[in-house]
Amino acid sequence: MSAFLFDLAFYVAAPFWAMMILAPTWRVTRRVIGSPLIVLPAVAVTLVLLVPRLGAVWPVVSRPSLEGLESLTSDPGALAALWAQIIAWDLFLGRWIYLDSRERNVHPLLMAPLLVLTVLLSPIALPIYLLVRLAPWPRRAGNPGETGAQR
């Protein structure tokens, strides 16, 4: 069951990543990715794996130690829960990067590889994106008085 849920964590997030990377300017993408609720399927997988192990997980997260984490991750279900949590976090971060880059009008051809990097190694992608967003990107044209949240 843990192997199935491990895979499921990726598959419930993949459509959202595909939208941001392959169809970034599509109106539907903006509407779907605009909701923070897109992370809930991966969070649900995390909870299904985590709740039965909460007694073993709580001591490790409340008093972290390398030995405790190593022991915990010897359980495939606990490791799958950790993976699902990472998937959910990466998607949440990727969502912010996508929305911010659209607001700043960063070109999708620059953002696509950066979003792929976010899927794979978000701790590397985030500082790179923070540097990218320092550039003076031309703002998106909109109706006078329209805010980014209204687009």
Side-chain angles (χ1 to χ4, degrees):
M1 183 66 151
S2 295
F4 169 76
L5 292 170
F6 175 88
D7 291 339
L8 184 61
F10 171 77
Y11 291 124
V12 297
F16 303 115
W17 284 110
M19 292 176 82
M20 291 186 285
I21 294 166
L22 301 174
T25 60
W26 188 29
R27 177 177 288 142
V28 174
T29 300
R30 176 70 179 212
R31 196 170 352 163
V32 169
I33 303 304
S35 172
L37 300 178
I38 65 171
V39 301
L40 287 184
V43 169
V45 172
T46 303
L47 290 173
V48 167
L49 288 158
L50 186 63
V51 168
R53 293 167 177 81
L54 204 50
V57 170
W58 184 252
V60 174
V61 298
S62 63
R63 291 180 308 278
S65 71
L66 185 56
E67 296 80 19
L69 185 60
E70 184 178 28
S71 173
L72 182 65
T73 57
S74 66
D75 169 9
L79 194 54
L82 179 60
W83 181 250
Q85 178 181 334
I86 292 167
I87 295 287
W89 171 252
D90 286 352
L91 181 57
F92 189 77
L93 180 62
R95 173 190 174 272
W96 175 78
I97 289 172
Y98 165 81
L99 293 171
D100 189 71
S101 70
R102 296 306 306 144
E103 184 66 31
R104 293 173 183 281
N105 205 27
V106 181
H107 200 281
L109 290 178
L110 173 61
M111 289 311 303
L114 192 49
L115 286 167
V116 169
L117 184 60
T118 304
V119 173
L120 301 175
L121 293 167
S122 63
I124 294 173
L126 178 60
I128 292 172
Y129 179 68
L130 293 175
L131 290 173
V132 165
R133 74 191 299 262
L134 291 175
W137 302 99
R139 293 294 181 159
R140 292 173 45 144
N143 295 332
E146 182 179 61
T147 66
Q150 295 170 323
R151 282 187 208 124

